[in-house]
Amino acid sequence: MFCAVATSALFGAVPVTSLHAQEKPVVDTPVQPRTVATYRFDIPSQSLMRALELLSQQAGIPFSVQDGTNLAINGQSVVGRFSIENALLLMLEGTDVTFAVADGVLVISPKLSTQSLGGEVVTAPVSVSASRTPTFQLGSGAASGSTVYGEEMIDAQVQGSSDPNMLFRANPNVQYVVSGQRGEEGATAVAEQDLRPQNISISGAGVDQNNFRLDGVGINSFGGAESNYNDSNMPEDDDNSINADTLHGLHPQTVYVDSNVLERAEIIDSNVSAKYGGFQGGVVNYKVKDPSDELTFGASIKRGGSNWNDYHLKSDETPDTDTREPEYEKWFYSASASTPLDDNWGMLVSAGRRTAETTKTAGDKYYGRQVTTNTKADNVLGKLRYENDTGTALTTQFVYAPYAQEFEASENYDSKMDIIGNGLTTYVGLEKPFEYDGYGVSNLFLDTKLSYNTSENARDSESNVRRQVSTSVAGSKYADFCDSSTCVTGWYGDLAQTQRDVGYTADLTGDVWGGNFLLGTDIHHLSGTRERSEDAYYATTRTTGTNVVCGTAGDIFCDDGDQANRRRVKYEAFSGSVSLVTAALYNEYTFTFDDVPFGEFEVRPGARLERETYLGNTNLAPRLTATYYTDWDISFTAGWNRYYAANMLSYAYQDATPATVSQTRTADTTTTPGSVIFYDDWAASSTGVKRSFSGSGLKTPFSDEQTAAISFPLPFLGGTTRLKWMERKGRDQFSRDSTDSGSTEYNLSNEGSSLYTSYSAEWSREIGSGPFGGRHVFNINGQYSERRTSNNSYYVTSDETENVAYNGQVISSMDLSVLTGNLDEPIFFNASLFSSFDDDRLRTGLTGRYTMAYTTITDSGSNTTIDGESYDLYEDGDAKARFDLDMTLDYDVIHEEHGVLTLNASIENVLNRGGAHTLSSSTPYRKGRTVWLGLTYAY
């Protein structure tokens, strides 16, 4: 029976053919050659089954187990930095279990009857046909909320976009919407041009309520995403105007990293350690590859485009005359190199660029003009690492990821803007073991990092004045602007938001009084700005005629003998800044009772004490998990945890943004009879909505979690099974104050709440040699969930919401979005399969999701009258069941000892399904099958 999977990269470049558990490791002064990889282990004495799972998880290295191996007995603790050999020798000392390497594969097996050969114990030969297998790890016990993906599984499940967030689309507690493919919106050119990472919701929380970490450093935007639950935060193809106070392109992550630099990825959706804070959803840990032990080089190129993409017309209405299938082309390039600098130092560098170009066409009103826009997303990484023979390691790393996406309204001249999203993360880290053994404390290990992150999101526009102009005046310079009496030119000016995060973290782990502990601190100084460098205007109502006279020189809202605007909205220049300090202390202690019947009982109590200076709150987040491990490899886990939110700056930015001002002016018709004279003498007539947030008296939102999990090997089929129940109750959530009139000011309150409940079942197994040969890794899961929330967004503005009719009542569109909630997919099933054939030259990955039919709320396309007013009519509708299947294929065209050339193919929506939703006439096309092709060279 295989309980996990195997790999050839276990012992670096050491050509080992047999290792024996009876060889005593030298742990006081371990000698670790540069060619042998070492790992940081923190594994207490416990059953070998759980100890080996932890070894696999902490090293990112899978293993296989022979039938008949007794893994219920306890192994020795392994704490510190060791090679795999020494870690296993320590763990298996005094047991009847051994290990060996055959054909480059680590195999755990029982000690058989042995014969003496010069005092050496020889294990029985093992035959396993595998040279490399991806890591896929379902956690159990205190780690029951964790799922770990290794490098090969990342390659197998991430599609042509190289977006690592898509790796988690087969996780049962993850919800997501792919623009143009899933959800109620059709395919658009803007969506194809958007190269930012996929937004994901974990455990029912908003997409901006997760904690993303890169090599242990947070890469989270505290400025928020300023969008609703499943919004892309980008303008639509047919948007010919935007809200001037909306900063498009905001994203929950400050740094966008390509999947090809990752060695490991982990998602934690429940039972999250006290080490992590600042989230109400889940934690995502990305681990960047370390420098290699020999010179390596790699390069890749990929291409996708609309000519390799099928589309489906999915509208019951006649498509708009100017609607066309999106046209786009995408190219991705990357190169990396890694080398040892000497026996202790190693270096890794990589660079990548992703580009997208789209073309959209205006309607006849603007003469069918074509607008072409581009996106460039770069990723530059450098990593320098030092390791010595004592287990001490020093690492410094930086990732710089500039992002620029152009947008231009097809029916609005001079409207081009760059949507900017630049990010930088860098850190210096120290890992150091301490040879201390006293007062019951031993195996101390310190992991500490000093980090600096900065990001910028901005709108860089060609113009800060948007005008409606008339084409009706004879001889007007606007006469041929468009085939209509009114045209629009100009845009809304610049808007920028920055964030800076200086952080320090330190984790101290070790053994104490028969258990193991974690003690740590996490301190950050956060600062940010939001700024509009100059006033912006939108001018509307006009007076036209050859008798129009501009009385003020340089009046940009007046054209002599042509026209003048007499009404405008002013968006005032402003600059607001905010800074705060957050500090956290956290600890955990894990201890085991081994005298319980038929197994042992493990408890992990912990707590996280947080203080932040903006709200002025001190919060205590208790964490507790308890697990009963039976002698039959079945574990029962229960958890009670509290998680506090962190994205505070976004609300402070709203407080700094001034309300809009509507202004008018009146013409002078008396000074010069027959002339209509306009002066630059605008007067305020009304003001727009002001959002207010001072932080005074507000509590920090939090979620209380209860969870239960069972992990066991599935009878007859083997593998690992995990059943899980989770309930999250959101308390003190931010929302609009219920007493707001909604006309002049929005105030923030703690009146919001939420509830998320899910039931999931997961099964995973690796088969070393299937019926068709090769290697195969299966993962199948299913989930049922319910989510309710009292308020979907604080950010909806008066010009973004309207009243609609539903169930005979008039409600706001914001309240309607609360009713729809949940991303509306309560029951779904995921399946993934990784396979390798022909001695690993051919590798395939399949990922599928079946979503059962469900009820949603949709626009009926008609209006209804209530109390004399006409409203858009919304009604209940049924979304049909659908099955999505994606595929990756990699084939080594050239496979030499020092060079491999691989053909890469990626197919999204293999079955070319058109989706369940009926689309609107403005975006009537659904993405079907999408193909990517590429080449990768590795030396």
Side-chain angles (χ1 to χ4, degrees):
M1 177 190 75
F2 288 94
C3 68
V5 288
T7 185
S8 66
L10 299 174
F11 305 105
V14 179
V16 182
T17 57
S18 181
L19 296 170
H20 309 288
Q22 287 72 29
E23 299 172 4
K24 179 69 176 177
V26 182
V27 293
D28 292 332
T29 57
V31 177
Q32 307 290 355
R34 178 64 187 165
T35 55
V36 178
T38 60
Y39 304 89
R40 165 62 188 158
F41 295 104
D42 184 9
I43 305 173
S45 177
Q46 56 191 306
S47 74
L48 286 179
M49 183 65 210
R50 289 180 286 112
L52 287 168
E53 288 177 349
L54 285 175
L55 181 142
S56 174
Q57 181 178 342
Q58 292 176 13
I61 293 176
F63 62 96
S64 64
V65 180
Q66 274 195 338
D67 287 332
T69 307
N70 181 13
L71 298 183
I73 59 176
N74 280 5
Q76 303 298 321
S77 65
V78 180
V79 179
R81 178 169 288 276
F82 303 102
S83 66
I84 297 297
E85 303 101 301
N86 277 352
L88 285 167
L89 289 169
L90 279 172
M91 180 186 294
L92 301 178
E93 181 183 3
T95 71
D96 58 355
V97 177
T98 186
F99 67 97
V101 174
D103 298 328
V105 177
L106 174 64
V107 180
I108 308 298
S109 61
K111 292 178 185 175
L112 304 180
S113 57
T114 59
Q115 55 186 7
S116 177
L117 293 176
E120 182 182 20
V121 177
V122 182
T123 61
V126 179
S127 176
V128 179
S129 58
S131 59
R132 62 178 180 178
T133 301
T135 303
F136 183 82
Q137 187 86 36
L138 292 177
S140 62
S144 62
S146 168
T147 303
V148 178
Y149 303 79
E151 184 177 344
E152 272 196 328
M153 189 62 84
I154 294 173
D155 293 340
Q157 289 195 232
V158 173
Q159 298 296 117
S161 63
S162 296
D163 175 10
N165 288 6
M166 289 300 291
L167 177 68
F168 308 118
R169 68 191 186 281
N171 185 284
N173 279 302
V174 169
Q175 298 264 19
Y176 68 100
V177 171
V178 178
S179 295
Q181 184 173 326
R182 301 173 62 87
E184 300 182 6
E185 298 298 326
T188 65
V190 172
E192 294 297 344
Q193 196 183 328
D194 188 354
L195 302 181
R196 300 173 303 159
Q198 172 68 47
N199 279 335
I200 59 174
S201 165
I202 303 176
S203 299
V207 298
D208 60 350
Q209 281 295 330
N210 302 314
N211 185 347
F212 283 87
R213 306 179 72 83
L214 186 66
D215 271 16
V217 176
I219 52 171
N220 306 290
S221 171
F222 294 97
E226 200 176 271
S227 60
N228 286 335
Y229 189 73
N230 57 352
D231 224 348
S232 70
N233 192 235
M234 283 291 183
E236 300 294 338
D237 275 8
D238 57 354
D239 282 352
N240 293 307
S241 179
I242 61 171
N243 185 307
D245 288 332
T246 294
L247 187 55
H248 291 100
L250 291 177
H251 194 275
Q253 295 169 236
T254 57
V255 171
Y256 313 150
V257 63
D258 291 342
S259 61
N260 55 10
V261 303
L262 298 180
E263 175 183 278
R264 184 178 178 219
E266 178 188 26
I267 184 171
I268 311 175
D269 60 28
S270 56
N271 274 340
V272 183
S273 165
K275 173 183 175 69
Y276 304 108
F279 68 94
Q280 294 188 88
V283 174
V284 172
N285 284 316
Y286 287 128
K287 171 68 173 65
V288 174
K289 298 173 185 177
D290 282 334
S292 58
D293 298 320
E294 58 184 356
L295 176 63
T296 62
F297 170 79
S300 66
I301 183 172
K302 289 188 289 186
R303 192 256 183 205
S306 52
N307 57 338
W308 294 353
N309 195 150
D310 291 331
Y311 289 98
H312 301 274
L313 186 61
K314 296 289 293 182
S315 176
D316 289 340
E317 307 170 16
T318 302
D320 295 350
T321 56
D322 56 345
T323 299
R324 293 171 176 82
E325 297 177 356
E327 298 179 28
Y328 71 91
E329 184 175 31
K330 299 180 184 181
W331 287 92
F332 293 177
Y333 317 87
S334 67
S336 63
S338 183
T339 182
L341 300 178
D342 60 21
D343 288 343
N344 301 110
W345 288 93
M347 182 177 65
L348 167 69
V349 293
S350 75
R353 166 164 288 186
R354 298 176 294 151
T355 66
E357 181 179 279
T358 61
T359 300
K360 56 185 181 181
T361 305
D364 293 339
K365 181 178 176 181
Y366 279 74
Y367 307 118
R369 77 181 188 114
Q370 289 193 323
V371 174
T372 298
T373 50
N374 297 273
T375 298
K376 289 182 180 179
D378 293 337
N379 196 279
V380 181
L381 179 147
K383 189 170 191 176
L384 188 65
R385 184 172 174 84
Y386 167 86
E387 296 181 51
N388 65 20
D389 294 340
T390 68
T392 299
L394 179 67
T395 305
T396 181
Q397 175 178 289
F398 77 90
V399 178
Y400 176 54
Y403 182 92
Q405 178 173 338
E406 296 176 340
F407 174 84
E408 183 175 1
S410 59
E411 298 188 354
N412 191 131
Y413 292 109
D414 299 324
S415 59
K416 181 173 286 189
M417 64 176 178
D418 286 336
I419 300 171
I420 306 296
N422 301 329
L424 170 71
T425 177
T426 182
Y427 76 87
V428 176
L430 172 67
E431 303 165 60
K432 182 173 178 57
F434 295 93
E435 295 183 5
Y436 176 81
D437 190 353
Y439 300 98
V441 178
S442 61
N443 296 319
L444 294 178
F445 187 86
L446 177 67
D447 185 354
T448 183
K449 288 184 175 70
L450 178 64
S451 62
Y452 175 79
N453 292 359
T454 183
S455 65
E456 177 193 22
N457 293 96
R459 177 180 72 226
D460 187 1
S461 301
E462 292 183 341
S463 168
N464 68 319
V465 175
R466 185 168 184 257
R467 294 181 65 195
Q468 290 184 5
V469 295
S470 176
T471 62
S472 59
V473 180
S476 170
K477 65 178 181 179
Y478 306 110
D480 296 325
F481 249 40
C482 66
D483 189 14
S484 175
S485 60
T486 300
C487 304
V488 185
T489 182
W491 208 237
Y492 291 100
D494 299 343
L495 186 65
Q497 179 173 302
T498 63
Q499 173 183 310
R500 184 175 60 193
D501 177 3
V502 180
Y504 174 75
T505 61
D507 291 341
L508 180 66
T509 58
D511 294 341
V512 60
W513 303 321
N516 59 84
F517 71 90
L518 162 68
L519 180 64
T521 185
D522 188 5
I523 304 172
H524 293 267
H525 179 268
L526 301 169
S527 59
T529 63
R530 187 164 177 136
E531 178 183 33
R532 182 164 32 234
S533 57
E534 58 182 343
D535 296 339
Y537 300 91
Y538 176 36
T540 55
T541 310
R542 306 167 305 283
T543 295
T544 61
T546 56
N547 60 342
V548 170
V549 177
C550 301
T552 303
D555 187 348
I556 57 177
F557 301 100
C558 184
D559 300 284
D560 269 317
D562 192 342
Q563 57 194 282
N565 298 99
R566 62 178 188 271
R567 182 181 297 274
R568 71 184 185 185
V569 178
K570 181 180 180 181
Y571 305 90
E572 294 181 343
F574 71 94
S575 179
S577 62
V578 62
S579 66
L580 66 144
V581 174
T582 68
L585 294 174
Y586 50 88
N587 75 292
E588 286 178 345
Y589 180 65
T590 303
F591 55 95
T592 303
F593 301 95
D594 55 9
D595 56 353
V596 300
F598 309 111
E600 59 186 37
F601 189 68
E602 180 185 272
V603 181
R604 188 188 73 181
R608 184 180 179 93
L609 181 65
E610 300 173 330
R611 171 71 181 179
E612 56 85 17
T613 60
Y614 193 77
L615 291 178
N617 294 333
T618 300
N619 304 309
L620 179 64
R623 312 281 172 91
L624 175 65
T625 61
T627 304
Y628 174 50
Y629 294 99
T630 72
D631 294 334
W632 305 283
D633 292 337
I634 303 174
S635 66
F636 301 87
T637 301
W640 299 266
N641 305 284
R642 175 170 289 185
Y643 312 123
Y644 278 91
N647 60 334
M648 301 298 176
L649 297 185
S650 56
Y651 302 98
Y653 290 145
Q654 301 302 314
D655 198 43
T657 305
T660 59
V661 180
S662 294
Q663 298 177 321
T664 60
R665 62 179 175 178
T666 304
D668 176 4
T669 58
T670 59
T671 300
T672 305
S675 295
V676 182
I677 306 174
F678 284 90
Y679 296 96
D680 190 16
D681 56 354
W682 299 88
S685 59
S686 63
T687 59
V689 172
K690 173 71 173 70
R691 297 187 184 91
S692 176
F693 172 67
S694 64
S696 175
L698 288 170
K699 302 175 183 178
T700 306
F702 66 92
S703 291
D704 281 334
E705 173 188 88
Q706 300 180 71
T707 182
I710 305 175
S711 298
F712 57 92
L714 195 65
F716 306 111
L717 293 179
T720 301
T721 304
R722 183 169 68 186
L723 308 179
K724 187 160 56 179
W725 165 79
M726 182 201 319
E727 181 181 80
R728 293 267 187 94
K729 293 182 179 179
R731 315 285 194 184
D732 293 336
Q733 302 296 300
F734 285 152
S735 65
R736 280 179 54 191
D737 192 307
S738 59
T739 62
D740 279 353
S741 66
S743 58
T744 59
E745 185 171 304
Y746 289 171
N747 292 298
L748 197 64
S749 75
N750 286 120
E751 297 175 5
S753 63
S754 64
L755 175 65
Y756 175 79
T757 305
S758 82
Y759 305 84
S760 61
E762 301 169 83
W763 176 71
S764 176
R765 186 184 176 186
E766 185 266 348
I767 298 177
S769 181
F772 304 103
R775 301 176 293 116
H776 311 279
V777 180
F778 296 91
N779 176 38
I780 300 173
N781 62 65
Q783 188 229 39
Y784 170 78
S785 66
E786 294 180 353
R787 187 182 79 96
R788 295 195 299 272
T789 179
S790 64
N791 194 325
N792 231 24
S793 177
Y794 165 73
Y795 296 111
V796 178
T797 60
S798 58
D799 58 351
E800 292 171 334
T801 185
E802 60 180 351
N803 288 334
V804 299
Y806 173 68
N807 276 349
Q809 297 182 351
V810 177
I811 64 175
S812 72
S813 59
M814 183 176 71
D815 292 334
L816 186 69
S817 67
V818 173
L819 290 175
T820 56
N822 254 12
L823 289 182
D824 284 331
E825 293 185 358
I827 304 177
F828 58 82
F829 302 91
N830 297 308
S832 63
L833 169 64
F834 172 85
S835 298
S836 175
F837 306 93
D838 191 18
D839 292 329
D840 268 354
R841 292 192 66 168
L842 174 63
R843 300 171 298 281
T844 62
L846 292 171
T847 304
R849 169 174 285 204
Y850 178 76
T851 305
M852 296 186 66
Y854 56 92
T855 300
T856 186
I857 302 174
T858 61
D859 189 345
S860 68
S862 59
N863 293 346
T864 187
T865 300
I866 299 178
D867 295 333
E869 295 287 336
S870 179
Y871 302 96
D872 289 341
L873 177 63
Y874 281 74
E875 59 188 12
D876 292 334
D878 293 324
K880 299 177 182 178
R882 64 171 290 160
F883 179 64
D884 298 296
L885 180 66
D886 300 331
M887 177 181 181
T888 60
L889 184 150
D890 299 299
Y891 181 70
D892 296 342
V893 181
I894 301 174
H895 195 127
E896 302 294 341
E897 181 179 359
H898 296 294
V900 179
L901 180 65
T902 304
L903 174 65
N904 313 115
S906 172
I907 306 174
E908 301 172 18
N909 196 357
V910 174
L911 303 180
N912 202 21
R913 299 293 178 86
H917 293 91
T918 298
L919 305 179
S920 68
S921 60
S922 60
T923 57
Y925 293 101
R926 173 73 75 192
K927 284 184 68 175
R929 184 183 297 113
T930 304
V931 176
W932 290 80
L933 290 177
L935 284 174
T936 300
Y937 177 76
Y939 171 81

